[in-house]
Amino acid sequence: MDGQPRERLWRAIATAAEVPGRRDSWAQTVCLACVETLEHVDAAILALRNGARSEEVLGASDHWAAKLAELQYTVGEGPGVEAFGSGSPVLVPDLSVEQVRWPGFADAALVVGAAAVFAFPLRYGAIRFGTLELVRRRPGGLTSAERRDAALAAELSTAALLRQTREAEQAGHDFAPRPVASFQDVSVATGMLAGQLQITLDDAFARLRAHAFGRNRSVLDVARDVLERRISLDELAE
């Protein structure tokens, strides 16, 4: 990427983070700026993560990107999950050779048209906040310049999150951005199932996830069915 597109990317991210009242939409601007300025990148996702069960998608460049984020959350594996866990970028130029590494995610992502994914952790020192993920519809890697720019986009996003969190604390309230996709219903359904079956939250979440995966559904849809009593907790007891 030459200097002009790179400057446009940085300016878009920095400017969006500066605008008051944009705690919920600046992440969308980050994702759109990545797609518009990074050649061959077709989608971008910005997600807050806090372990396997806790995730919110702050930004997604389009509906397809949001669905890919939901897919990764459902199967519990993939580049974003690994990048967050390791704290290092996970660059996958061809998902078709990663079925052994991520048997659930790779196959499902290929079916919906994702061919390459590049995940960069949002981190400050040893503290990890989430991931910025870039997706391609065709196999192929990022150039060295694109990798540098993507890493810088992740750094700028981290800085924006830290500043917004600090400003919220100074104002005396929690930092609570409005995500484009929230998995809060999964947390509620997990708690219900754990209480009913007297099992741990991790075990309850694993049952929700297995039920969803076995029926080719998202864990969010299954959780909502549980909350609306369309699926009984007894059905998930086995």
Side-chain angles (χ1 to χ4, degrees):
M1 180 187 295
D2 61 34
Q4 186 176 358
R6 181 181 301 144
E7 182 180 349
R8 188 164 68 248
L9 171 64
W10 297 347
R11 186 168 58 246
I13 295 173
T15 301
E18 290 286 345
V19 177
R22 293 202 65 184
R23 286 176 179 162
D24 58 335
S25 59
W26 72 269
Q28 287 289 88
T29 301
V30 171
C31 294
L32 291 172
C34 287
V35 172
E36 291 169 0
T37 59
L38 294 171
E39 191 175 6
H40 306 308
V41 169
D42 298 304
I45 304 159
L46 185 65
L48 283 181
R49 299 176 181 272
N50 186 22
R53 290 186 283 109
S54 180
E55 180 181 342
E56 290 189 332
V57 181
L58 289 189
S61 57
D62 56 20
H63 181 70
W64 182 61
K67 282 299 182 182
L68 284 170
E70 189 172 341
L71 168 62
Q72 194 167 191
Y73 180 77
T74 294
V75 299
E77 63 182 27
V81 175
E82 189 169 308
F84 176 74
S86 67
S88 300
V90 175
L91 310 178
V92 185
D94 188 353
L95 274 173
S96 68
V97 299
E98 298 295 350
Q99 282 95 338
V100 173
R101 185 178 185 180
W102 304 307
F105 174 75
D107 286 343
L110 287 166
V111 167
V112 299
V117 183
F118 312 94
F120 297 83
L122 308 181
R123 57 177 297 175
Y124 181 72
I127 302 173
R128 297 188 288 274
F129 300 93
T131 52
L132 173 65
E133 298 164 54
L134 309 176
V135 187
R136 293 184 57 169
R137 292 183 180 274
R138 293 186 177 183
L142 299 175
T143 67
S144 57
E146 287 171 335
R147 287 196 299 272
R148 289 195 301 270
D149 291 329
L152 282 169
E155 289 179 11
L156 284 171
S157 299
T158 301
L161 283 169
L162 286 171
R163 194 187 66 186
Q164 291 173 7
T165 301
R166 186 165 54 250
E167 289 174 350
E169 290 176 349
Q170 292 172 350
H173 56 77
D174 293 333
F175 173 54
R178 291 189 294 273
V180 299
S182 173
F183 301 109
Q184 182 61 33
D185 286 347
V186 179
S187 296
V188 177
T190 297
M192 289 176 56
L193 184 59
Q196 170 102 358
L197 301 181
Q198 295 297 297
I199 57 178
T200 67
L201 290 172
D202 285 342
D203 285 344
F205 182 55
R207 295 191 185 209
L208 286 174
R209 178 174 274 166
H211 186 91
F213 185 74
R215 289 158 179 78
N216 196 29
R217 303 184 65 200
S218 79
V219 70
L220 182 57
D221 287 342
V222 169
R224 287 170 176 164
D225 280 352
V226 169
L227 297 180
E228 295 296 327
R229 303 298 194 272
R230 291 188 291 266
I231 295 177
S232 69
L233 297 182
D234 290 339
E235 188 177 343
L236 299 168
E238 298 178 357

